[in-house]
Amino acid sequence: MPIHLNLPETFSAQLAKAERGLAGMWVCSGSPLVAEICAGSGLDWLLIDGEHSPLSLESIQLQLQAVAAYPVTPVVRVPENNSVTIKQYLDLGVQNLLVPMVNTPEDAVAAVQAVRYPPQGMRGVGSALARGARWNRVENYLTRANDEFVSLTVQIETAQAVENVAEIVGTDGVDAIFIGPSDLAASMGLIGQQGHPDVVACVRESIVAAKAAGKPVGINAFDPALANQYLDEGMDFILVGADVAMLARGSEKLADDFIAARLGSVNDAERASY
């Protein structure tokens, strides 16, 4: 006799009941072991990144399985707003999708259509074959999935998206928006200048639009002072670090503490020799 299962609450459900901003981190290494370590950190959510990381479908599923035992909400970013890719991610068991480069209301509608079964959308039916429905062990998965089991966050990360942000965030089926300051700055001809006043103004405009629509809004902010400022101002969710960045900076500090500090001042050429 099979076990009848239910699925965890979605990210949108977590946001709806949260009494503070939810803090999370990027998981980009592709390692299920690293994902599991991060899942036990005490953070609220993890972003498993399929856009800027070497993740296969199999590695995403393994990471989801690794973090499932922990009280953390995994959100997974697809590489593009593509209905076929989104279908595959959902069938893997991704419940909480982040879709990048949503620049127009039409892009937002396409993302909504991709995550929903007909008649509200165009998601292909493969629940009997897939982990998403736990191989048909989730009762009435097909009729419940649209409303209960999937949440959709879209990224506002270009000047064009900011121009359309009110319509994007107002799209039925878009549960939240996430602001990407780095790509936003690049799209404005200000690459690497996330703190430029014009970029900050666009970020603020997007926040105001989300609040006006009654939808949660999140942002990436690795600078602790900036992250705390956003949380103090009522940001609903935020990313404050990344596994690969923490490993890079931590390993550099070990080299500084135990090699450079003992050798005295060294330049990059000397550092490369040891």
Side-chain angles (χ1 to χ4, degrees), residues 100-138:
M101 292 293 173
V102 173
N103 297 320
T104 67
E106 292 76 19
D107 290 342
V109 169
V112 172
Q113 290 277 308
V115 304
R116 291 187 169 187
Y117 285 124
Q120 291 86 7
M122 55 179 289
R123 178 184 174 187
V125 178
S127 58
L129 310 174
R131 181 177 178 270
R134 302 304 188 266
W135 303 277
N136 270 357
R137 289 173 179 160
V138 176

XYZ file of all heavy atoms in Angstrom, residues 100-138:
290
model
N 14.305 34.327 -14.596
C 15.088 35.536 -14.866
C 14.588 36.293 -16.081
O 13.813 35.781 -16.901
C 16.491 34.972 -15.118
C 16.230 33.630 -15.738
C 14.997 33.110 -15.052
N 15.057 37.522 -16.189
C 14.875 38.357 -17.373
C 13.419 38.428 -17.834
O 13.107 38.228 -19.001
C 15.775 37.855 -18.510
C 17.248 38.063 -18.258
S 17.661 39.835 -18.236
C 19.395 39.759 -17.712
N 12.537 38.718 -16.902
C 11.138 38.962 -17.245
C 11.004 40.471 -17.454
O 10.995 41.246 -16.505
C 10.193 38.443 -16.148
C 8.748 38.859 -16.422
C 10.295 36.919 -16.067
N 10.926 40.865 -18.712
C 11.038 42.281 -19.068
C 9.723 42.951 -19.453
O 9.635 44.181 -19.459
C 12.019 42.446 -20.235
C 13.419 42.018 -19.868
O 13.893 42.287 -18.757
N 14.090 41.321 -20.774
N 8.729 42.147 -19.787
C 7.469 42.690 -20.271
C 6.300 41.948 -19.619
O 6.476 40.834 -19.108
C 7.347 42.537 -21.799
O 7.251 41.136 -22.119
C 8.537 43.163 -22.520
N 5.109 42.527 -19.681
C 3.935 41.787 -19.199
C 3.745 40.475 -19.948
O 3.300 39.482 -19.359
C 2.782 42.760 -19.460
C 3.409 44.107 -19.488
C 4.772 43.911 -20.068
N 4.085 40.451 -21.234
C 3.969 39.219 -22.017
C 4.914 38.142 -21.488
O 4.564 36.957 -21.452
C 4.252 39.505 -23.492
C 3.209 40.361 -24.192
C 3.297 41.844 -23.845
O 4.362 42.287 -23.348
O 2.295 42.559 -24.065
N 6.124 38.547 -21.082
C 7.059 37.598 -20.473
C 6.469 37.018 -19.187
O 6.597 35.816 -18.910
C 8.382 38.284 -20.137
C 9.198 38.660 -21.359
O 8.936 38.116 -22.455
O 10.099 39.514 -21.212
N 5.849 37.873 -18.396
C 5.252 37.422 -17.135
C 4.127 36.430 -17.387
O 4.027 35.392 -16.714
C 4.745 38.617 -16.333
N 3.269 36.730 -18.362
C 2.179 35.821 -18.701
C 2.729 34.475 -19.182
O 2.215 33.409 -18.810
C 1.255 36.447 -19.767
C 0.279 35.410 -20.314
C 0.505 37.633 -19.181
N 3.792 34.510 -19.981
C 4.392 33.267 -20.473
C 4.907 32.416 -19.314
O 4.758 31.182 -19.325
C 5.522 33.587 -21.451
N 5.521 33.057 -18.320
C 6.017 32.307 -17.165
C 4.866 31.685 -16.388
O 4.939 30.525 -15.963
C 6.843 33.226 -16.268
N 3.802 32.446 -16.193
C 2.629 31.919 -15.486
C 2.040 30.736 -16.245
O 1.706 29.700 -15.659
C 1.571 33.019 -15.296
C 0.275 32.428 -14.735
C 2.089 34.126 -14.378
N 1.904 30.879 -17.556
C 1.362 29.793 -18.369
C 2.216 28.531 -18.252
O 1.690 27.413 -18.218
C 1.313 30.237 -19.838
C 0.282 31.310 -20.135
C -1.100 30.718 -20.344
O -1.282 29.813 -21.143
N -2.069 31.230 -19.611
N 3.529 28.708 -18.168
C 4.429 27.555 -18.123
C 4.325 26.777 -16.821
O 4.567 25.564 -16.806
C 5.871 28.016 -18.346
N 3.969 27.438 -15.717
C 3.939 26.749 -14.425
C 2.571 26.172 -14.094
O 2.434 25.431 -13.107
C 4.403 27.661 -13.269
C 5.783 28.219 -13.540
C 3.408 28.771 -12.988
N 1.565 26.487 -14.890
C 0.209 26.044 -14.569
C -0.298 24.996 -15.556
O -0.053 25.095 -16.753
C -0.746 27.241 -14.558
C -0.486 28.196 -13.406
C -1.547 29.267 -13.319
N -1.441 30.018 -12.081
C -2.326 30.930 -11.682
N -3.382 31.197 -12.438
N -2.162 31.563 -10.534
N -1.032 24.034 -15.003
C -1.706 23.065 -15.852
C -2.901 23.723 -16.548
O -3.464 24.693 -16.034
C -2.224 21.892 -15.013
C -1.161 20.922 -14.549
C -1.004 20.633 -13.195
C -0.339 20.271 -15.461
C -0.056 19.713 -12.766
C 0.617 19.353 -15.035
C 0.749 19.080 -13.692
O 1.691 18.176 -13.268
N -3.325 23.173 -17.705
C -4.547 23.648 -18.355
C -5.753 23.477 -17.402
O -5.751 22.584 -16.554
C -4.672 22.740 -19.579
C -3.274 22.260 -19.839
C -2.656 22.134 -18.477
N -6.763 24.347 -17.539
C -6.920 25.367 -18.586
C -6.250 26.705 -18.263
O -6.233 27.596 -19.096
C -8.443 25.535 -18.656
C -8.898 25.277 -17.253
C -8.000 24.194 -16.730
N -5.676 26.851 -17.046
C -5.037 28.118 -16.693
C -3.677 28.302 -17.357
O -3.182 29.419 -17.449
C -4.876 28.226 -15.178
C -6.182 28.377 -14.419
C -6.826 27.055 -14.096
O -6.236 25.986 -14.335
N -8.036 27.079 -13.558
N -3.088 27.207 -17.817
C -1.759 27.298 -18.406
C -1.515 26.213 -19.420
O -2.454 25.646 -19.986
N -0.216 25.908 -19.619
C 0.151 24.952 -20.661
C 1.173 23.922 -20.171
O 1.833 23.263 -20.958
C 0.730 25.698 -21.868
C 1.915 26.603 -21.532
S 2.606 27.458 -22.954
C 3.386 26.097 -23.799
N 1.306 23.759 -18.869
C 2.247 22.779 -18.335
C 1.849 21.384 -18.789
O 0.687 20.979 -18.692
C 2.274 22.849 -16.806
C 3.197 21.826 -16.158
C 3.122 21.879 -14.647
N 3.897 20.789 -14.062
C 3.916 20.501 -12.759
N 3.207 21.230 -11.900
N 4.640 19.488 -12.305
N 2.803 20.628 -19.282
C 2.537 19.265 -19.716
C 2.275 18.339 -18.546
O 2.839 18.504 -17.464
N 1.434 17.353 -18.738
C 1.031 16.440 -17.673
C 1.923 15.199 -17.695
O 1.856 14.387 -18.621
C -0.445 16.035 -17.827
C -0.839 15.044 -16.726
C -1.337 17.273 -17.767
N 2.750 15.082 -16.666
C 3.616 13.914 -16.546
C 3.767 13.494 -15.101
O 4.791 12.942 -14.713
N 2.730 13.743 -14.297
C 2.856 13.564 -12.850
C 3.122 12.120 -12.445
O 3.778 11.867 -11.438
C 1.590 14.075 -12.153
O 0.444 13.404 -12.643
N 2.618 11.179 -13.208
C 2.837 9.773 -12.853
C 4.296 9.364 -13.009
O 4.735 8.369 -12.437
C 1.957 8.877 -13.721
N 5.051 10.137 -13.778
C 6.435 9.802 -14.100
C 7.443 10.595 -13.285
O 8.649 10.368 -13.423
C 6.696 10.078 -15.591
C 5.703 9.489 -16.591
C 6.032 9.971 -17.994
C 5.710 7.967 -16.514
N 6.979 11.521 -12.449
C 7.887 12.538 -11.939
C 7.873 12.681 -10.428
O 6.857 12.449 -9.757
C 7.529 13.882 -12.570
N 9.019 13.133 -9.904
C 9.150 13.391 -8.476
C 8.244 14.529 -8.026
O 7.853 14.586 -6.856
C 10.610 13.726 -8.148
C 10.855 13.998 -6.667
C 12.314 14.255 -6.352
N 12.478 14.548 -4.937
C 12.410 15.777 -4.420
N 12.212 16.826 -5.202
N 12.559 15.971 -3.114
N 7.907 15.469 -8.925
C 7.077 16.606 -8.544
C 5.800 16.179 -7.844
O 5.386 16.794 -6.858
N 5.159 15.143 -8.325
C 3.942 14.600 -7.711
C 4.245 13.382 -6.861
O 3.323 12.681 -6.438
C 2.923 14.245 -8.786
N 5.529 13.164 -6.603
C 5.995 11.975 -5.889
C 5.410 10.723 -6.535
O 4.921 9.832 -5.877
C 5.652 12.045 -4.393
C 6.229 13.261 -3.662
C 7.740 13.364 -3.789
N 8.288 14.407 -2.929
C 8.523 15.676 -3.318
N 8.251 16.034 -4.578
N 9.029 16.558 -2.481
N 5.458 10.712 -7.856
C 5.010 9.571 -8.662
C 3.552 9.213 -8.350
O 3.198 8.065 -8.138
C 5.963 8.393 -8.472
C 7.363 8.797 -8.824
C 7.924 8.843 -10.071
C 8.371 9.282 -7.920
N 9.212 9.328 -9.999
C 9.522 9.604 -8.693
C 8.417 9.483 -6.539
C 10.692 10.109 -8.134
C 9.580 9.989 -5.980
C 10.705 10.285 -6.772
N 2.745 10.263 -8.321
C 1.301 10.150 -8.057
C 0.980 9.682 -6.644
O -0.080 9.092 -6.405
C 0.609 9.237 -9.077
C 0.126 10.019 -10.292
O 0.258 11.245 -10.350
N -0.425 9.328 -11.266
N 1.853 9.998 -5.705
C 1.572 9.685 -4.301
C 1.063 10.901 -3.537
O 0.774 10.812 -2.343
C 2.823 9.114 -3.635
C 3.134 7.707 -4.146
C 4.442 7.180 -3.635
N 4.671 5.817 -4.142
C 5.856 5.249 -4.200
N 6.939 5.901 -3.778
N 5.974 4.032 -4.674
N 0.974 12.046 -4.215
C 0.341 13.237 -3.640
C -1.098 13.262 -4.133
O -1.354 13.358 -5.339
C 1.078 14.523 -4.056
C 0.344 15.747 -3.517
C 2.518 14.495 -3.557
